Amino acid sequence: MTDTQTGTPAEPTVPGRTRWGVFAAILAVPTLVVAGLIALLVAWLFTDDSVDTGERKASCAEAFAYGGAKPPAGARDLACVLEAAPEPRYEARFLLRSAEVNAWVAANYPDGPALRNVQCDGDHDGYACMNRGPVAGQSASVQLEIAYDGPKWSVVRFVAFTE
């Protein structure tokens, strides 16, 4: 067909091509980004990201017995943990009246060593410590660190471990 006025051939009419494809592509990108972020959020919420330190609560009687001692009678805030390593390592922390610390150490370790206040490792606020290697009938070494917690109380850290 030709246009009668201009004499040029007319363009054939083809059923219309819409721009919905371009519009759908433009909307698909943000939709995929949001869907990906939601998937990452769900994965993050249901992933176990806890860190196992190997420390477990332990019986304080068991912890002290491992180091050849008995829990002090007047102790407050007594907390004991077991560190599961190739060899067990027990740690106990508690408050004890400062006047009772020497008596408790002497009652549990009558053959020594005594508490000392020089050459103590660890915290700088500690005023006494004791290191005891394994003795006959025991396989554990013991470390004690004692620090002030006010005028009447001391914080005691008891560690029993196998070397």
Side-chain angles (χ1 to χ4, degrees), residues 40-57:
L40 286 174
L41 178 66
V42 168
W44 177 70
L45 289 175
F46 290 105
T47 302
D48 181 21
D49 56 356
S50 63
V51 177
D52 185 15
T53 62
E55 286 189 359
R56 306 276 185 266
K57 286 186 178 181

Side-chain angles (χ1 to χ4, degrees), residues 90-102:
Y90 289 94
E91 183 173 334
R93 288 183 183 266
F94 55 93
L95 290 172
L96 188 62
R97 290 194 178 276
S98 298
E100 298 174 4
V101 172
N102 284 328

Side-chain angles (χ1 to χ4, degrees), residues 11-12 19 26 32 34 39 42 47-48 56 73 94 112 124 129-130 139 154:
E11 291 186 23
R19 296 184 185 173
I26 290 173
L32 290 174
V34 170
V42 168
T47 302
D48 181 21
R56 306 276 185 266
F94 55 93
H124 297 291
C129 61
M130 180 192 84
S139 61
S154 293

Side-chain angles (χ1 to χ4, degrees), residues 1-13:
M1 292 208 171
T2 52
D3 187 2
T4 56
Q5 291 180 352
T6 59
T8 58
E11 291 186 23
T13 57

Side-chain angles (χ1 to χ4, degrees), residues 55-67:
E55 286 189 359
R56 306 276 185 266
K57 286 186 178 181
S59 160
C60 287
E62 182 180 323
F64 283 102
Y66 192 74

Side-chain angles (χ1 to χ4, degrees), residues 30-161:
T31 304
L32 290 174
V33 169
V34 170
L37 289 175
I38 290 173
L40 286 174
L41 178 66
V42 168
W44 177 70
L45 289 175
F46 290 105
T47 302
D48 181 21
D49 56 356
S50 63
V51 177
D52 185 15
T53 62
E55 286 189 359
R56 306 276 185 266
K57 286 186 178 181
S59 160
C60 287
E62 182 180 323
F64 283 102
Y66 192 74
K70 293 180 181 164
R76 290 177 34 195
D77 300 333
L78 184 58
C80 301
V81 295
L82 168 63
E83 184 178 311
E87 298 293 331
R89 181 180 186 275
Y90 289 94
E91 183 173 334
R93 288 183 183 266
F94 55 93
L95 290 172
L96 188 62
R97 290 194 178 276
S98 298
E100 298 174 4
V101 172
N102 284 328
W104 176 73
V105 173
N108 284 286
Y109 303 106
D111 55 341
L115 288 174
R116 65 179 190 270
N117 57 8
V118 293
Q119 298 176 340
C120 292
D121 296 333
D123 296 337
H124 297 291
D125 59 349
Y127 72 87
C129 61
M130 180 192 84
N131 292 324
R132 176 189 171 125
V135 293
Q138 293 180 342
S139 61
S141 296
V142 174
Q143 290 179 341
L144 288 175
E145 294 175 5
I146 297 104
Y148 290 116
D149 187 50
K152 294 183 181 181
W153 292 91
S154 293
V155 176
V156 180
R157 180 176 172 254
F158 173 90
V159 180
F161 58 95

